[in-house]
């Protein structure tokens, strides 16, 4: 069964081009041009990934992403015509897993879609784990098989990217993991640049969800010039 991908873009030419390349890779693709139609697909279809344009006529892509995250954790990639870092950071903070700046290379878009789906399936497939099934640290419990996470017995709703980062840090407890290492382990893809601040934004979002302090962190600590770590 092929993966179901939703493309939401108010420019039909861009949506149709992206759909063409994805269908050539045997994905099932749904396209629409408004947030209202996107939410209807989200409600009625079993989606595996969504590509969301930031500029939509009835609701911006950021709000749409936030609404999707209220009930689903499948990967979301933002499509933005703007190159400002604030737009990228906003999307990641609201739960997106990646962003692509328009105009984009279709093959790059396909590669990023495949990379996100590989991670999503890896962390949501029963019996498919990288190490132990359960990771525990100071009230934090991660079930790798079920992709569930709790903190002090309260569920943490994490995106696949956030879950991946937290899992890697927990598995390397006591050791510093650089942003470059996190990129290498999460995105094994040539199109991912290590020069952007994607990991930094995801770390900040994780801290917010965990109620962790940047100044006096209990869980994720920044080691300046080196990376991040969780103390033993």
């Amino acid at each position: 069964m092929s993966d179901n991908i939703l493309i939401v873009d108010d420019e039909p030419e861009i949506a149709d081009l992206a759909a063409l390349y994805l269908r050539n890779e045997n994905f099932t693709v749904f396209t629409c041009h408004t947030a209202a139609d996107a939410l209807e697909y989200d409600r009625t279809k079993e989606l595996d990934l969504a590509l969301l344009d930031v500029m939509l006529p009835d609701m911006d892509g950021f709000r749409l992403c936030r609404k999707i995250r209220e009930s689903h954790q499948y990967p979301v990639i933002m499509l933005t015509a703007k190159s400002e870092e604030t737009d990228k950071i906003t999307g990641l903070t609201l739960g997106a897993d990646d962003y692509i700046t328009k105009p984009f290379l279709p093959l790059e878009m396909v590669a990023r879609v495949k990379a996100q789906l590989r991670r999503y399936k890896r962390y949501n497939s029963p019996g498919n784990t990288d190490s132990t099934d359960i990771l525990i640290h100071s009230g934090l419990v991660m079930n790798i098989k079920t992709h569930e996470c709790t903190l002090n017995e309260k569920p943490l709703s994490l995106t696949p990217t956030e879950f991946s980062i937290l899992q890697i840090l927990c598995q390397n407890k006591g050791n510093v993991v650089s942003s470059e290492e996190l990129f290498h382990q999460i995105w094994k893809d040539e199109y991912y640049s290590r020069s952007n601040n994607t990991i930094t934004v995801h770390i900040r979002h994780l801290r917010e969800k965990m109620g962790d302090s940047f100044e006096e962190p209990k869980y994720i600590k920044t080691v300046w010039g080196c990376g991040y770590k969780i103390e033993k």
Side-chain angles (χ1 to χ4, degrees):
M1 182 180 295
S2 63
D3 293 307
N4 294 328
I5 297 177
L6 175 65
I7 302 174
V8 190
D9 198 303
D10 65 344
E11 298 181 69
E13 298 83 2
I14 293 178
D16 291 344
L17 178 64
L20 174 64
Y21 274 81
L22 290 169
R23 287 180 179 130
N24 284 341
E25 297 292 327
N26 296 318
F27 292 113
T28 298
V29 182
F30 307 100
T31 62
C32 61
H33 312 301
T34 67
D37 288 341
L39 291 172
E40 182 65 16
Y41 276 112
D42 179 66
R43 186 180 67 84
T44 59
K45 302 293 184 182
E46 291 292 331
L47 300 176
D48 298 289
L49 182 143
L51 290 157
L52 308 181
D53 185 22
V54 171
M55 304 298 291
L56 295 172
D58 54 342
M59 179 192 300
D60 67 56
F62 300 135
R63 288 181 59 199
L64 176 57
C65 177
R66 185 164 52 192
K67 283 185 172 294
I68 288 174
R69 281 288 173 255
E70 290 175 1
S71 54
H72 294 98
Q73 292 300 322
Y74 56 73
V76 171
I77 300 176
M78 303 299 298
L79 301 176
T80 173
K82 301 178 180 179
S83 59
E84 288 88 346
E85 286 297 312
T86 53
D87 290 309
K88 300 171 183 178
I89 292 171
T90 299
L92 295 171
T93 300
L94 293 176
D97 297 281
D98 195 15
Y99 55 83
I100 302 175
T101 302
K102 297 191 293 186
F104 55 82
L105 297 175
L107 292 179
E108 175 183 350
M109 178 271 300
V110 171
R112 293 195 180 204
V113 166
K114 288 182 175 179
Q116 290 293 336
L117 287 171
R118 281 197 301 270
R119 271 190 317 111
Y120 183 62
K121 290 179 179 179
R122 183 165 73 245
Y123 292 117
N124 286 275
S125 296
N128 191 8
T129 63
D130 290 334
S131 57
T132 59
D133 294 342
I134 305 293
L135 299 175
I136 301 174
H137 173 72
S138 187
L140 178 69
V141 180
M142 302 186 73
N143 188 316
I144 309 304
K145 278 190 175 182
T146 63
H147 199 264
E148 294 174 325
C149 184
T150 61
L151 181 61
N152 297 324
E153 300 184 354
K154 295 181 179 179
L156 278 180
S157 179
L158 304 180
T159 68
T161 301
E162 292 164 356
F163 192 94
S164 300
I165 292 173
L166 194 55
Q167 178 185 346
I168 292 169
L169 292 176
C170 285
Q171 289 173 330
N172 290 274
K173 191 162 49 177
N175 298 317
V176 177
V177 184
S178 68
S179 294
E180 290 78 9
E181 289 177 278
L182 288 168
F183 267 118
H184 177 72
Q185 293 191 50
I186 295 171
W187 293 291
K188 297 178 176 66
D189 192 284
E190 61 182 298
Y191 293 110
Y192 284 88
S193 170
R194 296 179 180 181
S195 63
N196 63 42
N197 62 354
T198 304
I199 292 294
T200 302
V201 176
H202 282 304
I203 291 288
R204 186 173 67 190
H205 203 201
L206 268 171
R207 283 174 172 153
E208 291 173 356
K209 289 186 175 182
M210 298 171 72
D212 208 8
S213 167
F214 172 78
E215 293 78 12
E216 298 180 4
K218 181 180 179 181
Y219 297 98
I220 303 175
K221 297 187 177 182
T222 299
V223 181
W224 294 108
C226 298
Y228 306 94
K229 73 172 180 177
I230 289 179
E231 297 282 12
K232 284 188 176 180

